[in-house]
Amino acid sequence: MAKFTVYFKDKPIQTASSDAGRIHIGRDDTNDLIVDSLAVAPAHAVIVIKDGNHIIRQLNEKYPLLINHQPVKEWTLQNNDRINVGKHYIVFSSEEILASETVLTDTVGNGVKALNKQSEDRNHLPDANLQIMDGPHIGRILPLKKAMTRLGRDGGGVVVIARRKDGYYVSALQGNDGLSINDQPLADLTVKLSNNDVLHVDQIPMQFFFG
C-alpha cells in the first residue's frame, strides 16, 4: 500500500492511499489528489501503480512535473520522494516501509496520522459558506466544500481556506495588501474562522457562516 499526502506550508491537508490502479493529480475536482493552485494544471499528472512500482507521468506540457525539485516527464517514485506543485508538495510514502520502523517521532509523521483520522471525521464538520457583503456581486454565496478554496486574483492578495477536521482555516497564499480578518491584517497568520467573521480579500468583504 502506498500513501500520497498533500502539504501546504508544511501542513498536511489531504491524503490518498492505493495499492493498484491510477491516482490522478490536478486542480480539477475530478482528480484523486486536488491541488487548488493556478500553478497546477486541471489534469497535472497521473501515477500508475503496477507490479509494485509507482510511475508518475506528466500530463500537460505547459505545466512542469517536478520530483524533488527536478523536472521530469516520467519517474518511478521512491519512498519519501516529493512531487513539487507550486507552493504545495506531495510526499510519496510506502506504508510497508513505515510499518517496519519502530519509532515515528517527526511532526510530519504525526500530521499524517492526524490527517488519516480527518478523513473519518470530515463528515461531522458542518458545511460553511462565504457571503459577499459589498461590490457588484453583493449577496453571492460561496460554498466552502473543497479541501482547499482559493480566493483572490494574481497580482493582488490571494488567500486559501483549508477545510480541516476541526474547522476552517484561512491563510495568505500571496501578497498581503487588502487581506484582513475582522479588520486585522492577515499577514503570515493562519486563522481558524468563526461564525460571522468578516474576511477582506482584495478589499472585498465576505462574511463566513455555517449552514
Side-chain angles (χ1 to χ4, degrees), residues 130 133 151 157-159 161 170-172 174-189 191 193 196-208:
L130 289 172
M133 301 172 62
L151 298 168
V158 178
V159 301
I161 297 175
V170 61
S171 55
Q174 70 178 50
N176 286 314
D177 293 341
L179 302 181
S180 68
I181 182 75
N182 299 326
D183 295 322
Q184 299 298 314
L186 187 58
D188 293 327
L189 300 174
V191 178
L193 292 167
N196 298 323
D197 278 351
V198 176
L199 174 67
H200 279 78
V201 180
D202 199 23
Q203 308 299 332
I204 297 175
M206 291 173 277
Q207 187 172 48
F208 174 85

Side-chain angles (χ1 to χ4, degrees), residues 2 5 18 35 44 57 73 82 84 102 106 120 143 163 179 196 200 203:
T5 306
S18 183
V35 183
H44 194 88
R57 294 172 181 152
K73 293 187 180 295
R82 283 194 181 194
N84 306 102
T102 56
D106 60 282
E120 300 173 4
R163 178 172 174 158
L179 302 181
N196 298 323
H200 279 78
Q203 308 299 332

Side-chain angles (χ1 to χ4, degrees), residues 69-106:
H69 301 287
Q70 300 299 316
V72 299
K73 293 187 180 295
E74 184 172 301
W75 182 265
T76 300
L77 291 167
Q78 303 297 318
N79 196 51
N80 291 326
D81 273 351
R82 283 194 181 194
I83 307 164
N84 306 102
V85 279
K87 293 189 176 182
H88 300 72
Y89 61 90
I90 302 168
V91 175
F92 166 78
S93 58
S94 168
E95 291 189 345
E96 287 81 0
I97 292 176
L98 291 176
S100 69
E101 297 177 355
T102 56
V103 180
L104 263 179
T105 57
D106 60 282

Side-chain angles (χ1 to χ4, degrees), residues 110-169:
N110 292 333
V112 171
K113 290 179 182 178
L115 192 61
N116 289 340
K117 191 168 187 307
Q118 172 184 332
S119 62
E120 300 173 4
D121 294 345
R122 180 167 289 173
N123 289 336
H124 298 92
L125 182 67
D127 290 336
N129 308 273
L130 289 172
Q131 183 169 23
I132 298 175
M133 301 172 62
D134 198 5
H137 302 291
I138 187 171
R140 182 180 175 186
I141 304 289
L142 306 175
L144 301 174
K145 293 185 177 181
K146 296 181 180 180
M148 292 184 64
T149 301
R150 184 182 186 276
L151 298 168
R153 60 181 179 84
D154 290 334
V158 178
V159 301
V160 63
I161 297 175
R163 178 172 174 158
R164 304 180 189 168
K165 69 173 183 177
D166 61 337
Y168 297 79
Y169 290 79

